Amino acid sequence: PIFLNKLQYTDNFYGEWNARQRDVANVTSWVSDTSETALNWQVVNFNSPVSNWLNCPILVITGHTDPKFTKKQIAELRAYVNAGGLVFCSCDGHSMEFQRAMIKYGREVVNNKYEFHRLTAKSMLFTMQPWYHMYLNVMGISNGARYLWLVCPNDLGAIWERDALSQKQFWEFPLNLYLYATGKGFLGDRLESLEIPPAEHPPARSIR
């Protein structure tokens, strides 16, 4: 099962999206050991179909400058979110430019229907595990039913990259995201995509 997707938004493999080359790999390994569940991770890009992204319900975006997403790329991100995906953004070097860009794109993905708010300590994302509560500075967009887009001003990638395990909350939080995205269940393998095929016939009824 894929625990995290990491978005490659530049052509260069060693580009800004991948400044912390072992970040997602290290946190996936930690969560795999902690949850006693064999997990993997993968890189996705805008040239791959959204169905590949849906191998996993969490997409990680990292960087320190505005990636300047195009309208087509925003549409792909929107398709992923609408299909059940959750986007999590971490700001390399605590970059304010990247943070502002991710807030801007998050709003565009939801067509400005919902607004960002700062998560409180009582948020489900911090209390998923009854034996361990935490708090991080995280802003999120929710549609009232679930979180769609999260932005963390902290440089989680640097913490994961150097295996700073003493900062436990930065490792427990992605595990909480995993529990949240799966409904405290388990991810399917790569052959069990979350993609829902389009309907073959028009709807028989509509509900207001």
Side-chain angles (χ1 to χ4, degrees):
I2 306 299
F3 169 60
L4 292 175
N5 290 322
K6 187 174 183 181
L7 180 62
Q8 177 181 357
Y9 52 82
T10 66
D11 294 334
N12 189 346
F13 181 80
Y14 297 103
E16 181 179 329
W17 70 276
N18 201 23
R20 323 287 194 213
Q21 295 174 26
R22 295 295 301 169
D23 52 1
V24 171
N26 286 346
V27 73
T28 299
S29 178
W30 184 88
V31 170
S32 182
D33 292 342
T34 301
S35 63
E36 298 183 353
T37 304
L39 298 170
N40 209 332
W41 66 283
Q42 68 179 7
V43 173
V44 297
N45 58 54
F46 290 113
N47 294 322
S48 58
V50 174
S51 58
N52 287 354
W53 299 21
L54 290 169
N55 288 335
C56 168
I58 305 172
L59 175 69
V60 174
I61 307 177
T62 62
H64 66 272
T65 62
D66 185 346
K68 300 187 185 303
F69 292 147
T70 65
K71 290 184 178 180
K72 181 180 178 181
Q73 291 170 337
I74 292 294
E76 290 189 54
L77 289 165
R78 183 181 297 117
Y80 176 73
V81 167
N82 287 345
L86 169 64
V87 176
F88 176 71
C89 310
S90 173
C91 304
D92 290 352
H94 309 279
S95 168
M96 284 297 299
E97 180 183 350
F98 187 77
Q99 177 182 326
R100 287 191 292 266
M102 291 301 102
I103 290 174
K104 169 191 170 186
Y105 296 131
R107 288 174 175 147
E108 290 181 10
V109 161
V110 299
N111 294 309
N112 294 301
K113 290 182 179 179
Y114 314 108
E115 191 49 73
F116 273 94
H117 67 276
R118 196 171 302 278
L119 276 59
T120 69
K122 294 182 179 180
S123 169
M124 183 183 294
L125 294 182
F126 301 132
T127 60
M128 289 291 293
Q129 304 175 70
W131 52 86
Y132 183 73
H133 291 184
M134 71 197 76
Y135 180 72
L136 298 180
N137 181 14
V138 177
M139 294 171 287
I141 287 180
S142 170
N143 62 2
R146 66 180 180 91
Y147 289 107
L148 309 174
W149 191 283
L150 301 171
V151 177
C152 180
N154 297 98
D155 190 348
L156 270 65
I159 294 168
W160 299 338
E161 176 84 6
R162 66 177 187 266
D163 273 332
L165 298 176
S166 61
Q167 297 173 281
K168 191 173 182 181
Q169 69 273 23
F170 297 113
W171 299 83
E172 291 282 354
F173 183 69
L175 176 54
N176 278 15
L177 288 184
Y178 165 79
L179 296 172
Y180 179 81
T182 60
K184 295 186 178 180
F186 296 95
L187 293 171
D189 59 34
R190 292 192 183 196
L191 299 181
E192 299 176 13
S193 173
L194 299 175
E195 183 184 24
I196 299 175
E200 297 180 358
H201 306 286
R205 299 179 183 86
S206 63
I207 300 175
R208 292 178 62 87

